[in-house]
Amino acid sequence: MKKLVSLILTITAALALAVPAMAADTIKVGVPLAMTGAYTDTGDNYWKGIKIAIDEINASGGLLGKQLEPVRFDTQEFAPERVMQGADYLCGKMKVDSVHAGWAGWGQDVRAYGKYTAPFFADDGSQSAVDVFNQDPKKYSNIYQLTDTDINQASSMFRVLMALPYEYPNKKVAIITADDAWGTGVGETLAKNFKKEGWKVALHEEVPYGTREWGPILTRIRKAKPAIIHLEIVSAQEVITFFRQFMESPTKSILSYGYSIVPREVVQTMGTEADGIIGEVPTAMPTPIAPTPEAQAWVENFKKIWGHQPQAGSWAAYSGVKAWAAAVEAVGDAKDHAAVCKYISTKGYKGETGWWKWDESNVMRAGGDVPIGHYQVQGGELVTIFTDPPVKPYKDFKFQTPRWCK
């Protein structure tokens, strides 16, 4: 009996020692994304890129010989208290060594994850988030933005609209945006740019997520007959219902969807019905033909895994994981967060399209090897027709006049 008890105690002790040893064989990676609510579609885009990166690293032997273990958290609709809960859970409780959040807010995420030291990669596209960072760059030195701000993206949308090889019938624009920080920031910037160029803003409306009945707004649009309609609501059903109700009696207006074009559900649901709509993707992986052989191989791999072209966010989130992993390899210790962040800030990262270099506010500014892509739906898929800055046509792909404008 004593021998049996001794054996049981020995096995128990061995298992107790094995648990932390097993845990030490993985590096935890925080993944706070919208899995429910209005931003679910964009959250799914980010997850697809993050998962490919993690799977690639694990398949190649891991990072410093350890497998990456994703730890997910549902950020829902980025309420400040929810974002803080995510930071406390992932960094405080689970002790992750990096966080890859995609679109995570407009400053509340900087405050929440800036309390900790793990490198945090967001795709906020928010001047408000950058302003929070700039209040205390040392405190928030672990925060990295994967894309340029709403102000700069909206200005890029405007430049491309002015560069289209198309003769506008008038100088009137209608702007409809969501009533969140992203929508209002883009709408205000566009309105300012249009007015500066002598255009009349015939309509500027902010609507809540969930808007599906567009009759009153479309009545005003049909009366004004604007040359451009810009819709900025990053949720599929809102922009799908707008288009279908617009097409019941369309005006000869270029439909500019901005970042609203990015939820996969938009082109997946409408297919060729959406042909003619234009939109933009920051931190772009141009498609259907990528700018380099390495990038094209990445696009083909993405399509093989997920069955469709990469949407906005997938490429940015993938590259954030890879930039962090490259820094960890160089430093030699995933737990040395300060050294990893210093490496990212000073050395940057060379990806499939070229170099990624963050500025003094830890923002990946558009241009060079990481431009903003401007797309048109052609044949039921997003086709890159311009990159910016500077504005230039992309390869041999051409803008096609929408059928309702002919």
Side-chain angles (χ1 to χ4, degrees), residues 93-335:
K93 182 178 180 180
M94 300 304 294
K95 308 297 183 184
V96 301
D97 287 311
S98 71
V99 182
H100 301 271
W103 186 15
W106 34 88
Q108 65 269 51
D109 52 331
V110 177
R111 293 187 179 93
Y113 288 91
K115 294 194 310 178
Y116 297 97
T117 59
F120 174 81
F121 292 84
D123 195 44
D124 292 346
S126 166
Q127 184 60 48
S128 297
V130 177
D131 290 342
V132 172
F133 176 96
N134 288 335
Q135 290 171 8
D136 195 338
K138 184 176 181 180
K139 177 181 178 180
Y140 299 127
S141 61
N142 64 317
I143 309 297
Y144 294 90
Q145 296 290 345
L146 293 166
T147 193
D148 213 332
T149 64
D150 45 5
I151 294 171
N152 289 339
Q153 288 186 52
S155 295
S156 181
M157 296 174 201
F158 175 79
R159 288 193 294 270
V160 169
L161 285 167
M162 294 298 99
L164 291 181
Y166 174 77
E167 186 175 346
Y168 290 110
N170 57 57
K171 299 182 75 173
K172 293 187 288 186
V173 61
I175 301 171
I176 307 153
T177 74
D179 58 1
D180 62 359
W182 168 260
T184 56
V186 169
E188 290 169 1
T189 303
L190 281 173
K192 186 182 299 182
N193 279 316
F194 275 110
K195 289 175 182 177
K196 186 176 179 180
E197 285 297 312
W199 281 59
K200 177 183 178 181
V201 179
L203 181 149
H204 189 175
E205 288 286 328
E206 294 177 4
V207 300
Y209 279 91
T211 300
R212 307 288 171 83
E213 294 298 328
W214 297 98
I217 287 177
L218 284 170
T219 295
R220 296 167 62 189
I221 285 175
R222 287 165 183 145
K223 183 178 180 180
K225 296 181 174 59
I228 297 172
I229 301 171
H230 185 89
L231 191 66
E232 195 70 42
I233 308 171
V234 192
S235 182
Q237 285 305 310
E238 286 84 336
V239 298
I240 290 172
T241 54
F242 179 90
F243 178 79
R244 287 177 170 167
Q245 291 169 41
F246 166 80
M247 289 299 291
E248 291 172 6
S249 180
T251 54
K252 291 186 176 181
S253 310
I254 295 297
L255 286 186
S256 170
Y257 267 29
Y259 195 67
S260 306
I261 201 68
V262 304
R264 178 62 195 171
E265 188 181 347
V266 176
V267 293
Q268 191 170 27
T269 299
M270 293 202 292
T272 56
E273 180 187 0
D275 281 3
I277 297 173
I278 62 174
E280 69 95 33
V281 176
T283 313
M285 170 59 79
T287 55
I289 299 177
T292 67
E294 296 83 0
Q296 187 63 34
W298 185 88
V299 170
E300 295 303 324
N301 185 51
F302 186 99
K303 289 162 61 178
K304 180 180 178 181
I305 293 170
W306 298 113
H308 60 78
Q309 288 187 170
Q311 300 292 113
S314 300
W315 167 246
Y318 169 92
S319 299
V321 176
K322 285 303 189 81
W324 164 74
V328 170
E329 288 279 5
V331 170
D333 184 0
K335 295 290 182 185

